[in-house]
Amino acid sequence: RSSDLKPVVYVASTDLYMQSNTASSLLGQASDQSITDPNFLENQAILLRTEGVAAEAAKLLGYKGPPGALLGYVTASPLSGADFLVITASTPNAVDAGRVANAFAQAYITTQEASSKQLAAQSIRSLQQQLAAIPNDASHANQRQQVSSQLSQLQLFQTVPTAPADQVQA
């Protein structure tokens, strides 16, 4: 019977160890999530399955079709009680399953790192404008020092590689 013939599906997975958002902590942004937020991993799983991450994964894979089509092969879910996100790819080809899971892991890391760097660059411009607007006199020295310190931290952040996650068990 043809109903007995189910297509073979190969499954591969990889784990991401999630880091706290360094850019947010440097910026002191309470509105951004941190790793201790109970929704953090759920939200990162949703972010991993976005068109932007799929487009980056498509580039890594050399995939010529619409990047969004890759999303049908991938799931992402938090590992209960841990700071890990599990990426699972299910494809009709064993090799492709592993390649897709790994590509989405790397694409997530790349897009999130770029987003953090962009946020830092915007904040640097804002802090530079703030610093320029603060009078350079003794009565404003403390305020200038605080803004300068924050500016220096963000400038350092931009020069140091800061991955939002580490892929383990590729």
Side-chain angles (χ1 to χ4, degrees):
R1 293 183 331 190
S2 63
S3 63
D4 290 339
L5 300 176
K6 294 181 182 176
V8 176
V9 175
Y10 294 91
V11 179
S13 64
T14 187
D15 298 332
L16 290 179
Y17 173 67
M18 305 303 291
Q19 309 286 329
S20 63
N21 189 333
T22 308
S24 295
S25 62
L26 283 176
L27 297 169
Q29 294 182 337
S31 63
D32 279 359
Q33 290 186 315
S34 72
I35 197 80
T36 59
D37 183 332
N39 295 320
F40 177 79
L41 291 175
E42 288 287 342
N43 290 337
Q44 298 313 299
I46 292 168
L47 284 173
L48 188 133
R49 291 188 30 82
T50 60
E51 289 281 338
V53 174
E56 184 66 26
K59 282 196 302 191
L60 293 170
L61 292 165
Y63 180 74
K64 302 297 183 209
L70 290 173
L71 293 171
Y73 297 113
V74 177
T75 62
S77 54
L79 188 60
S80 182
D83 294 335
F84 285 86
L85 198 60
V86 179
I87 301 167
T88 304
S90 302
T91 68
N93 178 293
V95 173
D96 286 346
R99 289 184 65 233
V100 169
N102 288 331
F104 267 83
Q106 290 306 307
Y108 168 84
I109 291 168
T110 300
T111 57
Q112 292 302 302
E113 186 173 31
S115 178
S116 289
K117 296 286 186 182
Q118 183 179 21
L119 177 63
Q122 291 169 349
S123 295
I124 285 170
R125 287 190 297 275
S126 175
L127 287 170
Q128 288 170 333
Q129 291 170 353
Q130 286 178 31
L131 190 59
I134 300 170
N136 195 6
D137 57 32
S139 65
H140 293 90
N142 190 32
Q143 185 181 7
R144 287 185 67 78
Q145 173 56 37
Q146 288 176 338
V147 173
S148 291
S149 175
Q150 197 173 16
L151 183 58
S152 294
Q153 287 178 333
L154 282 169
Q155 288 169 331
L156 178 61
F157 170 78
Q158 287 221 293
T159 64
V160 177
T162 54
D166 292 319
Q167 183 181 10
V168 293
Q169 297 181 350

